């Protein structure tokens, strides 16, 4: 056989798996149809790559099996990746909420991973389509090469213009592995006609608590011409299902604020009070939406309570999401039921592994998705080499 392992996809997970396997002594071929490795890493985090999160823990990930990610995350942690970054003297900082970014450029992370691959003697072939995958007698055949291990690391279909594709699911299907229906996640939500006024305040942003069902995120929300975005909404979007409401808490203690304002300045109007706590354009749209026309001093307790209720739970019914074209990640993917959580190997197809975004494990916004790529990539890289040595 020409290689010990062929890794499909030179993104975050594939680079980590290839480097790990190569450094453990395996002969590794890494294939990608793109002309450059790690293209999503390069554009991530606004060009500075939010490469991990200090708060990484299994409860920061969505999956049909919430336990699946535990093993890989525990064996290759955020601290392991940070130690690697430090070994390469890449300067970094915590931006917020445990999110670690390069001080310089995401290019440093790609260069580091390529150097790790070089140290492992990994052969990287770019601009190479995967084509037909042959399999028989424990051997995988891809692009004219053969190996006893094949690692699917081709990510999900989010941002197709970056070269993303759903090929992972086609390969899974080819080998009989179940796929949890993929859906856009960490994605802006669209609003319909009934929210027209809010779509008119494009660019307005404010801190909110965004709720979908029992899940809530306290970060900024951004009003866009199509609907809602910003970190709180992107986070909530991963939990959103069509038809579900998204509830924004704009002012937690609204009842208290409004009754204080009524007592202190009975001649004031709702809009003026709101603009002390919210951006002006949002205050204006909200005041019109709530429809309290009178001065606060002439407003009944019931009307004041109704206004406070809206400010504590402004409810939208999104018409949809902005889709894979705008989604930072894909939720769903190759079912974890089909895989070993320790080795990422398909239970029914010895030698076949799946890692990264291709698998039904999706992180929150904030460096969690890269950590999953590093952790699952490491697990597969180690597993294929251990088998070879054994
Ligand atoms: P990834 O998509 O990285 O790699 C897949 C590879 O497979 C690519 O190189 C692709 O070219 C190749 N491939 C696909 N189809 C193929 C085919 N048919 N044939 C051959 N090769 C094929 N996450 C995070 O933690 N912090 C962050 O700051 C950001 N920022 C961010 C910004 C933007 C704009 C996006 C779109 C995404 C992020 N993410 C993120 C998410 C993060 O980029 C993502 O979760 C990881 O890149 C997933 O790593 P994978 O290796 O699984 O897929």
């Amino acid at each position: 056989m020409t290689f010990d392992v062929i890794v499909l996809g030179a993104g975050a997970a594939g680079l980590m798996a290839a480097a790990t396997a190569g450094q453990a002594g395996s002969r590794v071929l890494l294939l990608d149809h793109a002309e450059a490795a790690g293209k999503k890493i390069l554009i991530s985090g606004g060009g500075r790559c939010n490469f991990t999160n200090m708060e990484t823990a299994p409860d920061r990930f969505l999956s049909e099996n919430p336990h699946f990610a535990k093993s890989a995350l525990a064996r290759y942690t955020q601290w392991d990746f940070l130690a690697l970054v430090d070994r390469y003297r890449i300067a970094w900082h915590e931006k917020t909420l445990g999110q670690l970014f390069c001080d310089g450029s995401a290019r440093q992370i790609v260069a580091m991973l390529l150097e790790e691959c070089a140290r492992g003697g990994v052969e990287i072939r770019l601009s190479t389509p995967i084509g037909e995958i042959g399999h028989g007698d424990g051997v995988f055949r891809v692009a004219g090469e053969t190996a006893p291990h094949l690692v699917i690391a081709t990510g999900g279909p989010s941002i197709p213009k970056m070269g993303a594709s759903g090929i992972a699911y086609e390969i899974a299907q080819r080998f009989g592995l179940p796929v949890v229906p993929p859906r856009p996640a960490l994605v802006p939500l669209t609003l319909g006609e009934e929210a027209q006024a809010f779509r008119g305040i494009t660019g307005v942003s404010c801190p909110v608590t965004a709720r979908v069902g029992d899940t809530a995120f306290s970060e900024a929300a951004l009003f866009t011409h199509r609907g809602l975005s910003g970190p709180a909404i992107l986070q909530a979007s991963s939990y959103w299902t069509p038809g579900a409401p998204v509830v924004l808490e704009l002012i937690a203690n609204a009842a208290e604020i409004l009754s204080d304002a009524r007592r202190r300045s009975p001649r004031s109007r709702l809009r003026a009070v709101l603009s002390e706590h919210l951006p002006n354009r949002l205050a204006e749209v909200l005041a019109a939406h709530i429809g309290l026309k009178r001065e606060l001093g002439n407003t009944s307790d019931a009307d004041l309570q109704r206004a406070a209720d809206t400010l504590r739970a402004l409810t939208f019914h999104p018409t949809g999401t902005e889709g894979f074209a705008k989604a930072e990640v894909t939720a769903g993917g190759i079912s974890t039921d089909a895989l070993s959580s320790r080795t990422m190997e398909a239970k029914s197809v010895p030698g076949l592994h799946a890692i990264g975004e291709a698998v039904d494990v999706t992180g929150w916004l904030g460096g969690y998705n890269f950590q999953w790529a590093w952790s699952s990539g490491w697990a597969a890289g180690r597993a294929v080499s251990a088998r070879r040595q054994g």
Side-chain angles (χ1 to χ4, degrees), residues 163-244:
S165 78
I167 196 172
Y169 316 136
E170 291 165 32
I171 301 171
Q173 218 167 20
R174 142 97 175 76
F175 287 100
L177 309 185
V179 172
V180 175
R183 61 180 199 282
L186 299 179
V187 63
L189 297 172
T190 54
L191 297 176
E193 285 306 310
E194 81 288 354
Q196 188 64 38
F198 291 96
R199 286 167 48 195
I201 55 169
T202 301
V204 169
S205 150
C206 70
V208 301
T209 296
R211 284 180 215 287
V212 172
D214 294 335
T215 310
F217 293 95
S218 296
E219 284 189 70
L222 171 71
F223 292 88
T224 73
H225 71 289
R226 299 192 64 186
L228 296 168
S229 187
I233 302 299
L234 298 181
Q235 298 277 37
S237 75
S238 299
Y239 292 84
W240 183 77
T241 48

Side-chain angles (χ1 to χ4, degrees), residues 8-15 31-41 43-46 48-52 101 128-131 153-156 158-159 162-168 186 326-330 355-359 364-373:
L8 305 177
L15 285 163
L31 291 182
D32 203 297
H33 67 166
E35 69 296 349
K39 280 171 79 176
K40 274 195 190 167
I41 302 176
I43 58 157
S44 68
R48 290 218 160 91
C49 187
N50 176 194
F51 55 79
T52 192
F101 286 75
T128 304
I130 290 170
T154 47
S158 46
I159 322 271
M162 296 290 305
S165 78
I167 196 172
L186 299 179
K326 292 285 165 63
E328 202 164 299
V329 289
T330 303
I355 57 176
E357 199 176 316
V359 176
W364 286 6
L365 187 76
Y368 296 103
N369 284 296
F370 278 139
Q371 186 57 46
W372 170 245

Side-chain angles (χ1 to χ4, degrees), residues 206-208 223 248-252 278 282 286 310-314:
C206 70
V208 301
F223 292 88
L248 302 190
E249 183 182 272
L250 296 167
I251 304 179
L278 297 168
L282 177 58
L286 271 173
T310 302
L311 296 166
R312 289 193 49 220
L314 178 66

